[in-house]
Structures are given as C-alpha cells and as structure tokens.
Amino acid sequence: MWKERRLLGKPGLIIMGTVSILAAVATCDTYLVAVPRMLYGLSREGMLPKFFSYLHSTIRMPWYGIFFVVALILVVIVYAFINNANIESITTMISVALGYRNRSMYVYDLHIIR
C-alpha cells in the first residue's frame, strides 16, 4: 500500500497526487518561461543564432525560443512513446542532458585533523 494512503488515508492520496501534478506543471512552466529568455540573452550576446533574439511585436516574448523549447519537449515525448520508455528512463535522460550528477557520489566524510 502507498505511504500516503497509510499516513492520511484516501484524502492523503488525493492531496499528494494533486501536489505532484502541480509540481510537474510548475516545472514545465519554468522551462517554458526561463529557457527561451536564456536563449534570447545568449543570442543578443552573439553566442547563439540571431533568430533567437527576435521578439513578438505585441507581447515582447522570444517566440522562436518558445517554439524551440516546445519542439525539444515534443522530441522527448515522441522518443519515449516510440521506445516504450518508463518515467525513470525519461527523467534520467533529461537529467543527463541537463548535466546533473548523482550528488551522493560527491559527498565526502569530513574529519577534523588535530
């Protein structure tokens, strides 16, 4: 049985499910807002192609960057469906692409030498 159900019963299961979905939506929202702006800034500095620095005429958003991020997300989703990937392999693939490493590998015991 799930920990949420044992701890808080069925309401706990519903609450934790809702919180998990909201956290996933907030993460996607962050990617869709922050990454296009980073692409825009890098393009303005000359580190990326110039088309990333074009802004929409009325809403002043870097819309080429938004399309690029959405295209990358769709590539990951299509790849996952084609290869019957589970959520663990998808998150591993995204983590490796973002450059994260297992933080526990870099934890060392600190000893005070007297």
Side-chain angles (χ1 to χ4, degrees), residues 1-111:
M1 216 177 231
W2 295 335
K3 292 179 184 179
E4 296 85 6
R5 185 177 289 249
R6 283 188 283 168
L7 184 63
L8 298 172
K10 187 166 179 144
L13 183 65
I14 293 171
I15 290 170
M16 290 305 293
T18 304
V19 168
S20 298
I21 290 171
L22 290 175
V25 168
T27 301
C28 290
D29 184 47
T30 303
Y31 285 140
L32 287 174
V33 172
V35 174
R37 284 288 175 184
M38 288 190 306
L39 296 174
Y40 170 76
L42 289 170
S43 176
R44 296 274 308 212
E45 295 292 323
M47 297 179 191
L48 286 177
K50 189 74 172 163
F51 68 88
F52 283 117
S53 64
Y54 296 139
L55 296 176
H56 192 273
S57 59
T58 56
I59 58 174
R60 310 291 296 162
M61 289 294 296
W63 56 295
Y64 283 116
I66 293 170
F67 289 145
F68 183 73
V69 171
V70 169
L72 287 178
I73 291 170
L74 289 176
V75 165
V76 171
I77 291 171
V78 168
Y79 175 81
F81 280 119
I82 289 173
N83 294 314
N84 292 328
N86 60 10
I87 192 67
E88 290 178 22
S89 63
I90 293 170
T91 54
T92 301
M93 183 172 61
I94 292 171
S95 296
V96 169
L98 293 175
Y100 292 120
R101 291 171 181 78
N102 186 357
R103 301 289 183 204
S104 63
M105 293 182 349
Y106 302 105
V107 176
Y108 299 103
D109 290 333
L110 297 176
H111 299 285

